[in-house]
Amino acid sequence: IATPSPYITGLRKYWVAMPMLLMFLLVMLLFFTTQKYERNRILEHLGNESDDIMRELSGQIDTVLGVLASLQRFHNASESVTREEFASFTAGILATMPSIAALEWIPEVPLERRETIEAQLQAEGFPHFRFTEIGAGGELVTAGQRPLYYPVILVEPLQRNLKALGLDLGSHPARLDAIRRAQAS
């Protein structure tokens, strides 16, 4: 067995180990710098994309709010909006805005006017019309008695949304809360 010379074990090890250690440190520094750069680049990209999404969503919300304001002005300008007028007014909106699934008119109806409204809609060609709510099993049931109702009276497109006709949105606590907050604001 050959014995290592003292010359190789001392100074030689130092000259070999030191450049390797420096090279390792440089590679690690490069790795962490690149990792930090990539993380920042990805976060910036995500930030830009989320800003774009927020701008688009904000624009869509503004558009929908504009539609709702025009519906309110349309209804306020008329003594009584007929089903045909509502269908005609909303047809162009629904045709140009596929993100809107339906447009509804939901008045506040006191208990004293419930029978009158139900009879009126039955006379308009909806013989089974009644104020409804969603029952415990998810089915539509006749709405219980309460001081105020918020039934869907007008809805377009009508055929796709016939089940919604008469649905009292005030029968669900979360929806009622949203209605009250909307009225207050």
Side-chain angles (χ1 to χ4, degrees), residues 65 68 72 106 108 150 169 173-185:
L65 288 175
L68 294 176
Q72 182 182 18
I106 304 160
E108 183 178 85
Y150 298 91
L169 299 184
R175 287 182 179 167
L176 181 59
D177 182 53
I179 290 169
R180 289 187 175 144
R181 282 187 286 123
Q183 287 174 327
S185 67

Side-chain angles (χ1 to χ4, degrees), residues 71-142:
L71 272 174
Q72 182 182 18
R73 287 189 300 275
F74 171 66
H75 204 275
N76 290 344
S78 176
E79 290 276 327
S80 158
V81 174
T82 67
R83 194 163 301 285
E84 293 76 23
E85 290 170 336
F86 187 78
S88 176
F89 184 81
T90 59
I93 295 169
L94 292 169
T96 59
M97 299 183 154
S99 61
I100 298 177
L103 292 170
E104 302 170 338
W105 186 256
I106 304 160
E108 183 178 85
V109 177
L111 174 62
E112 305 80 49
R113 294 209 50 234
R114 176 180 174 168
E115 285 184 24
T116 304
I117 299 290
E118 286 177 333
Q120 179 184 343
L121 268 90
Q122 290 167 4
E124 286 180 15
F126 302 98
H128 304 292
F129 179 85
R130 60 195 164 98
F131 286 11
T132 59
E133 60 188 43
I134 299 172
E139 73 286 354
L140 287 178
V141 297
T142 300

